[in-house]
């Protein structure tokens, strides 16, 4: 291994080590939640409320509903923390809990109407790939609202929450191939919606 390869390897292992320490810390906090430590639940909330809220907001399309689902999620985490078996990261597990709570709340409701982005939501500016979907503009919100919930959640997890295909598959309990297929169909629909609005 030459000097350049060694530097790359050291950087990779350094990042992997930091990531693994963060995951271990999250698992420890979740174990404390399972033991009934309310301050540990507060810690998890402080770490994950923003990404979970952004995910729920994009699914629900409205701030109030997203906040209610986030509260349902915290209650579900409090009740079910003992079921975590370390088969995925704590963050993936939390997104799975949030997704189940969202489905419970949103089942049978019409798709969300376009809405303004919530305060504090981090948005980026660009075109219909990950960046375009992160824009908080009305046309993107309207396009997202036209997606079926199964496609919308995959898009939000991939592009706004930056989860890998494997992590999305774990959150949703579906094969990686299904994740890729839903993303492909969602992109096609979104491009069509955005093209219509620009015409």
């Amino acid at each position: 291994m030459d000097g350049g390869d060694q530097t790359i390897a050291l950087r990779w292992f350094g990042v992997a080590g930091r990531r693994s320490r963060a995951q271990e810390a999250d698992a420890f906090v979740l174990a404390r939640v399972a033991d009934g430590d309310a301050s540990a639940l507060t810690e998890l909330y402080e770490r994950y409320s923003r990404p979970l809220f952004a995910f729920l907001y994009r699914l629900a399309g409205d701030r109030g509903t997203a906040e209610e689902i986030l509260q349902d999620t915290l209650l579900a985490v409090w009740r079910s923390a003992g079921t975590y078996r370390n088969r995925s990261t704590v963050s993936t597990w939390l997104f799975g809990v949030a997704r189940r709570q969202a489905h419970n709340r949103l089942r049978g409701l019409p798709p969300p109407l376009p809405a303004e982005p919530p305060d504090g939501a981090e948005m980026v500016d660009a075109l219909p790939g990950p960046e375009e979907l992160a824009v908080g503009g009305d046309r993107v919100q309207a396009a997202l609202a036209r997606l079926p919930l199964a496609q919308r959640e995959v898009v939000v997890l991939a592009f706004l929450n930056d989860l890998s295909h494997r992590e999305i598959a774990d959150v949703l309990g579906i094969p990686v191939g299904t994740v890729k297929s839903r993303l492909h169909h969602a992109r096609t629909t979104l491009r069509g919606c955005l093209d219509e609005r620009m015409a």
Side-chain angles (χ1 to χ4, degrees), residues 17-158:
R18 282 195 300 276
R19 186 175 296 142
S20 136
R21 283 192 296 274
Q23 290 169 0
E24 286 174 14
D26 282 349
F28 177 70
V29 172
L30 191 58
R32 287 171 43 216
V33 173
D35 287 340
D37 184 344
S39 67
L41 185 65
T42 301
E43 276 185 58
L44 275 184
Y45 176 81
E46 288 169 357
R47 289 183 197 180
Y48 289 105
S49 61
R50 284 176 61 102
L52 288 173
F53 176 76
F55 170 61
L56 294 169
Y57 173 79
R58 294 296 185 169
L59 293 186
D62 132 346
R63 185 191 235 333
T65 304
E67 287 172 348
E68 289 172 8
I69 300 171
L70 181 58
Q71 294 308 311
D72 293 345
T73 299
L74 290 172
L75 183 58
V77 167
W78 177 253
R79 290 176 175 163
S80 64
T83 66
Y84 176 70
R85 295 290 175 256
N86 212 18
R87 293 187 195 114
S88 64
T89 64
V90 170
S91 61
T92 299
W93 185 80
L94 290 171
F95 275 108
V97 173
R99 182 232 180 202
R100 284 188 294 281
Q101 297 305 312
H103 274 249
N104 291 344
R105 180 66 68 99
L106 302 174
R107 191 178 293 123
L109 295 178
L113 296 171
E116 288 302 311
D119 295 338
E122 294 181 14
M123 306 298 170
V124 185
D125 201 3
L127 234 174
E131 299 86 6
E132 173 71 16
L133 297 172
V135 173
D138 287 343
R139 67 190 182 107
V140 175
Q141 288 283 37
L144 277 173
R146 288 175 62 179
L147 290 176
L149 183 57
Q151 289 178 17
R152 195 178 335 134
E153 65 190 1
V154 170
V155 167
V156 172
L157 288 169

Side-chain angles (χ1 to χ4, degrees), residues 54-55 58-59 128-135 140-141 143-165 168 172 174 178-191 194:
F55 170 61
R58 294 296 185 169
L59 293 186
E131 299 86 6
E132 173 71 16
L133 297 172
V135 173
V140 175
Q141 288 283 37
L144 277 173
R146 288 175 62 179
L147 290 176
L149 183 57
Q151 289 178 17
R152 195 178 335 134
E153 65 190 1
V154 170
V155 167
V156 172
L157 288 169
F159 298 139
L160 279 82
N161 295 100
D162 201 28
L163 269 60
S164 69
H165 291 162
I168 295 168
L172 303 181
I174 58 177
T178 305
V179 171
K180 292 178 180 177
S181 173
R182 288 183 186 177
L183 278 173
H184 171 76
H185 292 300
R187 279 184 173 137
T188 302
T189 302
L190 285 170
R191 281 195 184 101
L194 293 170

